[in-house]
Amino acid sequence: MLWRRSRARADTEARHAAQRTADFVDARLPLSEGGGLLRKAFPDHWSFLLGEIALYSFVVLLLTGVWLTLFFQPSMTEVIYHGSYVPLAGSRMSSAYESTLDISFDVRGGLLLRQLHHWAALVFLAAIGLHLLRIFFTGAFRRPREANWLIGVTLFMLALAEGFAGYSLPDDLLSGTGLRIAQGIMLSIPVVGTYVSMFAFGGEFPGEELIPRLYGLHILLLPGLLLALISVHLILVFYLKHTHWAGRGRTNRNAVGKPMFPQFTAASGGLSLMVFGVLTLLSGVAQVNPIWAYGPYRADIVSTGSQPDWYVGFLEGSLRLVPPWETVVAGHTVMWNVLLPAVVLPGVLFAVLYAYPFAERWVTGDREEHHLCDRPRDRPVRTGLGVAAISCYAVLLAAGGNDIIAYSFSISLNALTWVFRIAFVLLPPLAFMVTKRVCVALQEADRERLTEGEETGEVRQTIAGGYEESHEPLDEERQYVLRAYGHRGEEERAPSADELER
């Protein structure tokens, strides 16, 4: 009895202490006003986790990047190497390359952290790209989320620039070859190309100013812009709420999912640990960017089989596919074989990405708000365009390694290049037509399932001697979903229970 009274008294004191603490904090911080945020609904579908993977990869990039800045020397001053890597002992190299070797071989845990930084960058860009694809195919870019789409595309563009800047900092033979290509792209810009190159490199290539300038961009300006845009993106997500898939209780006027605290917080925290663990595992067992194998950059040497990171591979492929077209205009040579694939193509790509939400709204005349995700099959034209763009990207990415493919399979490089050129022209429209037809067929199959039921796999013989397959009605949840998407063209709402009964 005494023990129970003591326990009850302790519980009462604990509640009072918690109340006093909450009052103390609420008097100084907007605790009560922010309580509603803790109950914000987050969708529980796996596709919504792609953005979180990008976020946690960015956190890894920040943490490892701060650590690497303590040891990296962003200087192109020439030095003689006397470090632990014996094959390069006595070689002339830049201070940037020497410090990268020191990080890899002489700093405890340096190689692991450097590779962790690199792997996090690769996953970061991949997650952003997949996240944008998810938003595109489900129509989550439509009103009122056009601004968040624009921010996402800008984040992808800045991440590409950030990745290329970091990739170029070690001043090894591979990254130096990439910088040489970048200089050729700058020179291809009519009239102002030489001025752009001189400004970027601080003189003639390779100069001594580029690495310090890239370093400032890589550790300060671009990360700051990324961090600011990610913050704005998350604020808009909270304000506009997530889209969600159609289902019972999910309409165009509500948000259904796990509350932020504690369910979503626990799941998201677990995902963050998984991302950190997988990236660390990759860094320990999968070698990436072994700069010691390439050697220091020399302007008179090009590494055999040079391949950039995957996110700029499509630019490499486009440069390899365009024929050597040049035009002389008023004494100026316009290098179409560089200008078109490396300047015009990326410009058109991002212009289309920025303009697409508004172009689709103008073409369809749809100006309503949308909070339910589209199934790709229900938007055949949009899905076809997306698949055509992916096929175009895949051709360019494969063309970026045409020399490796030709050597590995003993194929003529010229013949393979023509195959990729023809595929670049023919494959996207073919992919569009096939995808659109498949989407229409899937819609028809959904209508059949809704009216006739699901096939059971049982075949019965009729009295007349024929055969027929038995069907069973769909469960109410699947009927609800199919009817919701079937009525999407009439009205942006989920069906009521009375409609389902009818």
Side-chain angles (χ1 to χ4, degrees):
M1 182 65 69
L2 182 61
W3 177 80
R4 290 181 180 177
R5 291 179 179 176
S6 299
R7 183 177 178 180
R9 187 164 49 252
D11 290 342
T12 302
E13 292 177 356
R15 285 195 297 270
H16 290 165
Q19 183 63 44
R20 288 194 299 270
T21 302
D23 294 340
F24 177 84
V25 175
D26 190 49
R28 294 158 177 81
L29 298 173
L31 180 64
S32 59
E33 289 82 354
L37 294 178
L38 298 179
R39 305 302 298 173
K40 182 186 182 302
F42 282 82
D44 54 1
H45 194 268
W46 65 267
S47 62
F48 291 90
L49 299 179
L50 294 170
E52 294 182 45
I53 293 175
L55 176 62
Y56 295 133
S57 299
F58 183 68
V59 172
V60 175
L61 282 171
L62 290 179
L63 296 176
T64 55
V66 169
W67 187 89
L68 290 172
T69 58
L70 303 177
F71 303 96
F72 182 73
Q73 298 294 326
S75 172
M76 299 185 72
T77 303
E78 192 174 77
V79 296
I80 305 297
Y81 181 67
H82 298 291
S84 300
Y85 189 65
V86 177
L88 289 177
S91 300
R92 293 181 178 274
M93 59 186 63
S94 66
S95 296
Y97 186 72
E98 181 193 37
S99 64
T100 308
L101 287 176
D102 290 340
I103 291 172
S104 302
F105 294 104
D106 298 316
V107 176
R108 186 179 297 275
L111 180 59
L112 177 66
L113 268 295
R114 192 175 73 81
Q115 296 202 148
L116 180 58
H117 190 73
H118 200 119
W119 273 113
L122 298 177
V123 173
F124 177 56
L125 278 153
I128 292 178
L130 292 174
H131 184 56
L132 285 174
L133 287 176
R134 197 274 300 175
I135 292 173
F136 175 82
F137 283 115
T138 62
F141 56 81
R142 295 172 297 176
R143 182 182 177 187
R145 297 175 179 84
E146 301 96 333
N148 240 2
W149 170 262
L150 300 180
I151 290 174
V153 174
T154 305
L155 281 171
F156 188 57
M157 182 172 59
L158 291 176
L160 288 173
E162 173 77 340
F164 180 77
Y167 174 82
S168 304
L169 287 179
D171 198 32
D172 59 287
L173 187 57
L174 185 60
S175 65
T177 301
L179 288 175
R180 185 59 166 170
I181 294 174
Q183 194 231 5
I185 295 171
M186 297 175 192
L187 293 174
S188 72
I189 303 175
V191 182
V192 299
T194 53
Y195 299 100
V196 173
S197 175
M198 293 288 286
F199 172 77
F201 290 91
E204 293 292 338
F205 181 87
E208 296 184 355
E209 302 295 331
L210 184 62
I211 296 299
R213 290 174 179 178
L214 287 176
Y215 185 70
L217 290 174
H218 185 69
I219 70 167
L220 185 61
L221 180 60
L222 292 176
L225 291 174
L226 286 169
L227 189 59
L229 287 178
I230 289 174
S231 300
V232 175
H233 178 74
L234 293 177
I235 290 172
L236 288 178
V237 167
F238 268 80
Y239 177 72
L240 298 173
K241 301 180 178 58
H242 280 87
T243 55
H244 54 183
W245 296 97
R248 185 171 296 279
R250 301 176 182 181
T251 71
N252 202 38
R253 298 191 274 284
N254 66 357
V256 179
K258 298 178 180 177
M260 180 177 178
F261 184 84
Q263 286 92 334
F264 175 77
T265 302
S268 184
L271 177 64
S272 69
L273 297 178
M274 291 177 63
V275 171
F276 299 160
V278 170
L279 289 176
T280 304
L281 180 64
L282 285 172
S283 306
V285 301
Q287 181 176 264
V288 61
N289 198 24
I291 54 131
W292 55 88
Y294 309 136
Y297 178 68
R298 284 178 49 181
D300 59 334
I301 297 177
V302 176
S303 57
T304 303
S306 298
Q307 297 294 312
D309 282 341
W310 72 267
Y311 48 84
V312 290
F314 77 101
L315 288 178
E316 177 81 11
S318 62
L319 284 168
R320 298 187 184 196
L321 291 188
V322 178
W325 295 334
E326 293 182 358
T327 303
V328 178
V329 180
H332 295 278
T333 301
V334 180
M335 301 182 295
W336 298 108
N337 56 322
V338 180
L339 182 66
L340 288 178
V343 178
V344 176
L345 176 64
V348 171
L349 169 64
F350 281 98
V352 170
L353 289 175
Y354 278 118
Y356 186 85
F358 310 100
E360 181 177 294
R361 184 176 63 185
W362 177 69
V363 171
T364 61
D366 183 3
R367 301 182 182 277
E368 301 296 326
E369 288 193 2
H370 297 272
H371 302 287
L372 285 174
C373 293
D374 286 332
R375 294 186 308 172
R377 69 182 64 181
D378 295 318
R379 303 292 180 178
V381 174
R382 181 202 299 154
T383 304
L385 291 173
V387 173
I390 292 174
S391 66
C392 180
Y393 174 83
V395 170
L396 294 180
L397 185 62
N402 61 351
D403 54 340
I404 304 297
I405 297 174
Y407 176 79
S408 301
F409 296 96
S410 299
I411 303 173
S412 169
L413 180 61
N414 290 332
L416 185 62
T417 300
W418 274 104
V419 169
F420 282 132
R421 286 172 177 170
I422 295 172
F424 180 75
V425 175
L426 297 182
L427 188 59
L430 180 62
F432 173 82
M433 291 185 292
V434 172
T435 302
K436 184 178 178 182
R437 188 67 192 92
V438 170
C439 289
V440 173
L442 290 173
Q443 289 183 42
E444 181 63 28
D446 284 342
R447 283 191 288 270
E448 289 182 1
R449 280 197 295 270
L450 194 58
T451 57
E452 300 178 6
E454 190 76 37
E455 296 177 354
T456 63
E458 298 179 359
V459 178
R460 300 175 181 175
Q461 188 173 16
T462 63
I463 298 177
Y467 294 91
E468 64 180 10
E469 189 172 15
S470 62
H471 296 74
E472 61 182 12
L474 298 176
D475 59 76
E476 292 186 359
E477 180 65 24
R478 294 186 65 185
Q479 288 188 42
Y480 189 96
V481 172
L482 292 180
R483 289 181 185 276
Y485 285 115
H487 293 167
R488 187 69 63 85
E490 302 172 7
E491 184 180 358
E492 282 292 332
R493 63 178 178 84
S496 63
D498 294 337
E499 289 174 332
L500 282 176
E501 293 178 359
R502 291 197 296 271

